[in-house]
Amino acid sequence: AEVEAEVEAEVEAEVEAEIEAEVEAEVAAEVEAEVDEMVDDVEEEDQEEEDDNEDDVVDPVRMDVDEDDIMVVPAKPASLLKKEARAAELATKNAASSKKLATLKAARRKEIVKKTAKYYKQYEAADKEEIRLAREAKANGNYYVPAEARLAFVVRLRGVNNIPPKPRKIMKLMRLRQINNGVFIKLNKASKEMLRIAEPYITFGYPNLKTVRELIYKRGFGKVNGQRVAINDNTVIEQALGKYGIVCIEDLIHEIYTVGPNFKQANNFLWHFKLSCAKGGLRKINNHFVEGGDFGNREHFINNIVRRMN
């Protein structure tokens, strides 16, 4: 009986162990299945997100919508496109204006050349007329007396020491404020009297065309708004004297040399000439020119000293 009881107990223990093993196996299988399902769900969700992202990034320019709702992203920003269009328009306008300005300059240059040729024909005709009259008078046994000069060029020789008030004031009115300053003067009764009073401190004479041209071309400066401006372009003259018909440097020379109707405006436009010391020096500034000195009226010999000082 004891042996049977022991056998039964062992059988029961083995059955219970088998049942427990089966239960544990079933539970483990269920848990593994649930874990597999969860993993599959997570992988499916990740795959769906990746697919969505791929759909969004596949075509950055065109979106997968109707053709009417297609939006094209520009290659350049709108502000840059506006700037380029504005620059192109401005360049076109500048090109057109520069071309027009060049055409006007070319036409004006032709007019200036024609006017200069006309002036030189007048100068040549006047010189020939002087020669003809002198020869005619000589042939008839007479003397030809040319007309009195209407233009003088005045140069200051003395400084500021020991100069009486009246000559000092006259030289100030003539704009002769420093040694070797020079100006053009229109000769009339008043100016001749002023030159006579200031004669011991200045020298003057009657310049020819070559002297006038060389002075204005080499040492000519204009007065614009009270400033000393170099005459390196005809526009400087045109802006200041255009209303008087003087638009180029040859007009200015012609107006000065012939003492034209607008001589006052042309001469006031010219800054006083700042000449150098005479090459070779002066003789004696305390003596008159006719006494072997330097001051006083030199008549046409003023051209020599001006060329040495220019």
Side-chain angles (χ1 to χ4, degrees):
E2 291 178 0
V3 173
E4 292 178 358
E6 288 178 0
V7 171
E8 290 178 359
E10 288 177 359
V11 170
E12 290 177 359
E14 290 177 359
V15 171
E16 289 178 359
E18 290 177 359
I19 292 171
E20 288 178 0
E22 291 178 358
V23 170
E24 289 178 358
E26 291 178 358
V27 171
E30 291 178 358
V31 170
E32 188 177 355
E34 290 179 358
V35 170
D36 292 339
E37 288 180 0
M38 293 175 65
V39 170
D40 293 338
D41 293 340
V42 171
E43 289 180 354
E44 289 178 0
E45 290 179 358
D46 293 340
Q47 186 65 30
E48 289 178 358
E49 289 181 0
E50 289 180 0
D51 294 340
D52 293 339
N53 292 334
E54 287 179 359
D55 292 339
D56 294 338
V57 178
V58 166
D59 193 356
V61 177
R62 290 182 172 273
M63 300 179 66
D64 190 11
V65 293
D66 296 337
E67 292 184 357
D68 297 336
D69 298 333
I70 290 176
M71 181 181 68
V72 179
V73 178
K76 296 181 181 179
S79 59
L80 182 59
L81 293 175
K82 289 182 180 179
K83 183 178 180 180
E84 291 178 351
R86 188 166 58 249
E89 183 180 359
L90 187 61
T92 304
K93 288 183 179 179
N94 289 341
S97 61
S98 61
K99 185 177 180 181
K100 184 178 180 181
L101 186 62
T103 304
L104 291 175
K105 281 186 176 181
R108 191 175 300 167
R109 194 178 299 114
K110 288 182 180 179
E111 292 179 1
I112 291 172
V113 170
K114 290 181 180 179
K115 195 183 296 185
T116 303
K118 185 183 72 172
Y119 290 154
Y120 277 85
K121 286 182 180 179
Q122 293 178 4
Y123 303 146
E124 187 178 358
D127 292 340
K128 289 181 178 181
E129 182 66 15
E130 291 283 323
I131 294 171
R132 186 190 67 79
L133 292 174
R135 287 176 177 175
E136 184 179 348
K138 184 177 180 180
N140 294 329
N142 296 325
Y143 292 98
Y144 172 70
V145 179
E148 291 186 358
R150 296 190 298 163
L151 177 69
F153 186 72
V154 187
V155 181
R156 178 168 178 164
L157 298 178
R158 299 282 294 274
V160 296
N161 294 334
N162 302 324
I163 296 181
K166 189 172 287 188
R168 184 193 298 266
K169 180 65 175 179
I170 289 173
M171 286 190 289
K172 183 179 179 181
L173 291 175
M174 291 181 179
R175 301 182 293 168
L176 301 174
R177 296 177 176 269
Q178 295 175 320
I179 298 177
N180 296 335
N181 279 5
V183 292
F184 291 110
I185 297 293
K186 181 180 180 180
L187 291 176
N188 52 34
K189 185 177 180 180
S191 62
K192 287 179 181 178
E193 187 64 22
M194 293 169 68
L195 291 174
R196 185 189 63 79
I197 295 172
E199 190 175 23
Y201 313 101
I202 59 176
T203 185
F204 60 95
Y206 315 134
N208 57 20
L209 177 62
K210 182 179 179 181
T211 301
V212 175
R213 290 186 79 252
E214 288 180 351
L215 279 170
I216 294 178
Y217 268 106
K218 185 174 180 180
R219 296 188 181 264
F221 284 80
K223 182 166 60 177
V224 179
N225 297 326
Q227 302 294 319
R228 185 170 183 254
V229 179
I231 305 176
N232 50 18
D233 193 357
N234 287 328
T235 55
V236 178
I237 300 173
E238 185 176 3
Q239 290 174 359
L241 302 173
K243 56 185 176 181
Y244 303 110
I246 302 173
V247 297
C248 65
I249 195 166
E250 288 296 336
D251 288 340
L252 183 62
I253 293 170
H254 180 74
E255 193 69 23
I256 294 292
Y257 179 67
T258 60
V259 191
N262 298 310
F263 174 84
K264 179 180 178 181
Q265 289 79 9
N267 196 31
N268 286 339
F269 166 75
L270 281 175
W271 199 272
H272 55 268
F273 297 92
K274 296 175 178 286
L275 303 176
S276 303
C277 293
K279 187 181 293 185
L282 300 174
R283 293 182 295 182
K284 193 173 182 181
I285 61 174
N286 293 325
N287 284 4
H288 197 282
F289 178 74
V290 297
E291 298 173 351
D294 290 303
F295 75 78
N297 189 2
R298 294 172 178 256
E299 296 186 357
H300 62 277
F301 291 105
I302 191 69
N303 298 303
N304 300 331
I305 190 171
V306 168
R307 286 191 179 86
R308 288 162 52 202
M309 300 177 75
N310 193 5

